[in-house]
Amino acid sequence: MSNFYLDNPALKFQLSHPLMPKIVALKERNFADKDKYEHASQDFDDAIDNYERVLEIIGEICAEIIAPNAESVDKEGPQVVDNRVIYARGTQENHDALKQAGLYGMALPRQYGGLNFSMVPYVMAAELVSRADAGFANIWGLQDCAETIAEFASDDIKEEFLPRVSQGQTCSMDLTEPDAGSDLQAVQLKATYNEAEGIWYLNGVKRFITNGDAHIKLVLARSEDGTNDGRGLSYFVADNRHDHTIKVRRIENKLGIKGSPTCELVFSNTPAKLVGTRRMGLIKYVMSLMNGARLGVGAQSVGLSAAAYSEALAYAKDRKQFGKAIIDFPAVYEMLALIKAKLDASRALLYETTRFVDVYKAYEGIETERKLEADEKADYKEFQKNADAFTPLLKMFASEYANQNAYDCVQVHGGSGFMKDYACERLYRDARILTIYEGTSQLQVVAAIRHVSTGTYLKKIREYEAQQLEPEFEALRQRLAAMTQTYEKAVAQVSESKDNEYFDFAARRLVEMAGHIVMGHLLLLDANRDDMFRKSAEVYINYGEAEVVKHASFIKRFDPAQLENYKA
Ligand SMILES: Cc1cc2nc3c(=O)[nH]c(=O)nc-3n(C[C@H](O)[C@H](O)[C@H](O)COP(=O)(O)OP(=O)(O)OC[C@H]3O[C@@H](n4cnc5c(N)ncnc54)[C@H](O)[C@@H]3O)c2cc1C
């Protein structure tokens, strides 16, 4: 029986990271549930055993059910019948299998029927599901939405909705509208409060909503009359009760992730409940929701890269030309080495980011139960800042690499890669959305650039630099130190220009430079713990170094007066 968890030792490796005992202890509140719930973890080893047992089940469902269904789901897609979505047959089968195995609500507290898993194994599960079918990963992954309910909603709302998520009811996040895409401050869907009934009602249109006919919907809506910006928006939860107040007007006919229904929705007097406080919808709750979803797209991207690597590798070993397997040609093995290095680099960044999120979210939870000590508070702030800085970096790099890897996977297949006979054609189409939704790569740069200016990345790079390594890795570390010097010079040069437009223009190059150095260090630290990462560390540092030099050369020679040449 094949198993996507057991066939990939790089995942188990992440569970042995030195920060895991801290993450598990914080998440389990020092194992306070152990006498309250039959399946609660007794100690750290027991928690890791539980994670592994569940990941093995997911790994098997992915390999045996979801991946084999991916081709037919891609062909069949969902349909709209009477304003309702009907999933493709395979999608329904995937959903039922995960539901029966109790794999919804993984990160939710036990009191709501969840497994109370920390984010690391949850994100790992998302990676596995995406490797099997990136489109289906959306439907399963939208259980993320429950996190914002658990964090910000009243106890009544939590009790009403969270057990339903654990039982396998699905969610959607309804933010985008025709005139509000990257700029969510422009959202117009109206929320009106009926004083007499004490109920909010939603009216308006949403578009591009993944799994738009979900049972539980989180909706960003304008609750404050006369406002036009983000401060007039609130966050609501609506129960899609099939009473025709939410209609699926159509589903989009898309390039990829065909099994994931992307819906246009009409809300007509839909009853809804306010989550948290009014006016904080975009500023607080949607930001938190999107950060979780960006981590999810990071996992989805890494999963897709893993699929691209395995397809490309298998084909390159099998296909013979000029009397030998094509994998023996340098041009082909270099492509494979780069796919692998970008996969390993983005995975290293994925789990590093996830650990930051795990620690700060755990403190956030503890803070609702008791006052944090001063040292805990400082730790919380540090991890939160790192999570803020690394999330956009992850989302941008992992999604761009998934696209590059899917592109190279097709290239390795030659003409066959262009045909529907091989999975790589689907991977190539599925990858394309990853750099667009949950904030485009350009918007990730907007979020990341302040961490270039304020030095968050540099501080983290210095911490990585200071870690103990085996002597054999010293030369690579020195190359990373030289790349960091180049990065610092480029940042200084762009900052000194005091030209805001030029700063925005150079931002992507600066963010990418930081990202290459961070991922180089992470791979080196991984290689120091396990030899299976040594090759990728070397290949990635070669690649990242060339990219850093290229960007530095562009910045060094660029005169901001040339900006005019770039305008249409
Ligand atoms: C398949 C699919 C599924 C989706 N699922 C959901 C969902 O479940 N829920 C939901 O709410 N939404 C969803 N979306 C919407 C998605 O999040 C948006 O499409 C995305 O955020 C981009 O918005 P837009 O399409 O309006 O593009 P625009 O915002 O119009 O962007 C167009 C271009 O301009 C660039 N741009 C815009 N502003 C800036 C800026 N300030 N700086 C630099 N460049 C900028 C962008 O990077 C992009 O290249 C989905 C979209 C798709 C295609």
Side-chain angles (χ1 to χ4, degrees), residues 138 142 172-184 206-212 252 254 256-257 260-262 290 433 435-443 446:
N138 280 342
L142 275 159
S172 68
M173 45 188 278
D174 302 10
L175 314 175
T176 303
E177 297 176 7
D179 292 321
S182 299
D183 179 12
L184 287 173
K206 292 280 176 189
R207 79 160 177 175
F208 293 170
I209 305 306
T210 299
N211 199 34
E252 307 292 339
K254 317 192 286 290
I257 55 163
S260 164
T262 309
M290 297 249 287
I433 188 60
T435 62
I436 297 172
Y437 60 16
E438 299 314 336
T440 61
S441 291
Q442 288 70 28
L443 268 288
V446 171

Side-chain angles (χ1 to χ4, degrees), residues 300-554:
Q300 195 178 19
S301 302
V302 172
L304 194 139
S305 281
Y309 179 62
S310 110
E311 292 294 320
L313 183 65
Y315 189 83
K317 281 181 177 169
D318 189 52
R319 172 74 173 162
K320 295 200 173 48
Q321 285 292 280
F322 301 96
K324 59 182 182 182
I326 60 168
I327 196 167
D328 292 330
F329 293 107
V332 176
Y333 67 63
E334 188 190 2
M335 270 193 278
L336 283 160
L338 268 176
I339 298 176
K340 179 71 163 56
K342 288 173 184 170
L343 161 64
D344 285 346
S346 47
R347 184 181 280 130
L349 186 58
L350 172 64
Y351 292 104
E352 180 77 339
T353 308
T354 306
R355 288 186 285 269
F356 296 153
V357 173
D358 246 332
V359 173
Y360 102 78
K361 289 268 178 205
Y363 278 129
E364 207 167 64
I366 294 170
E367 207 178 26
T368 64
E369 297 155 15
R370 65 165 170 84
K371 204 168 175 299
L372 294 177
E373 304 292 332
D375 57 336
E376 291 176 319
K377 188 108 195 164
D379 208 27
Y380 168 27
K381 292 287 158 209
E382 185 67 16
F383 275 88
Q384 186 176 38
K385 190 172 71 191
N386 287 331
D388 277 356
F390 274 48
T391 300
L393 206 61
L394 163 72
K395 198 308 181 157
M396 181 179 85
F397 269 102
S399 63
E400 296 285 349
Y401 282 168
N403 273 276
Q404 293 169 23
N405 289 341
Y407 178 99
D408 281 349
C409 180
V410 171
Q411 196 66 21
V412 167
H413 282 69
S416 301
F418 198 63
M419 306 301 158
K420 295 234 175 235
D421 308 349
Y422 287 89
C424 64
E425 177 268 350
R426 174 173 45 80
L427 296 177
Y428 181 72
R429 288 184 288 106
D430 285 355
R432 194 61 195 89
I433 188 60
L434 300 169
T435 62
I436 297 172
Y437 60 16
E438 299 314 336
T440 61
S441 291
Q442 288 70 28
L443 268 288
Q444 302 311 312
V445 171
V446 171
I449 190 64
R450 69 173 185 280
H451 299 287
V452 170
S453 314
T454 58
T456 318
Y457 296 129
L458 190 60
K459 181 162 176 260
K460 206 66 211 154
I461 288 167
R462 295 284 180 236
E463 281 172 32
Y464 296 139
E465 249 173 34
Q467 298 213 18
Q468 284 282 323
L469 290 181
E470 297 296 328
E472 62 182 295
F473 296 119
E474 194 44 45
L476 286 174
R477 184 186 7 221
Q478 279 176 19
R479 282 169 64 188
L480 286 167
M483 285 157 68
T484 307
Q485 255 185 3
T486 309
Y487 164 66
E488 284 187 87
K489 262 193 214 147
V491 174
Q493 189 190 332
V494 175
S495 309
E496 276 157 21
S497 79
K498 306 252 180 280
D499 178 336
N500 287 342
E501 189 173 344
Y502 173 50
F503 196 79
D504 287 349
F505 182 79
R508 180 152 184 165
R509 289 186 171 82
L510 297 176
V511 169
E512 284 190 7
M513 289 167 92
H516 290 307
I517 301 165
V518 164
M519 284 184 280
H521 274 295
L522 290 174
L523 278 175
L524 205 51
L525 291 168
D526 284 355
N528 194 54
R529 284 211 294 130
D530 194 311
D531 194 58
M532 75 175 140
F533 298 105
R534 189 183 43 77
K535 278 188 183 174
S536 279
E538 292 190 9
V539 172
Y540 192 82
I541 291 170
N542 285 344
Y543 170 77
E545 185 176 56
E547 290 292 301
V548 165
V549 168
K550 181 181 83 180
H551 288 332
S553 154
F554 186 96

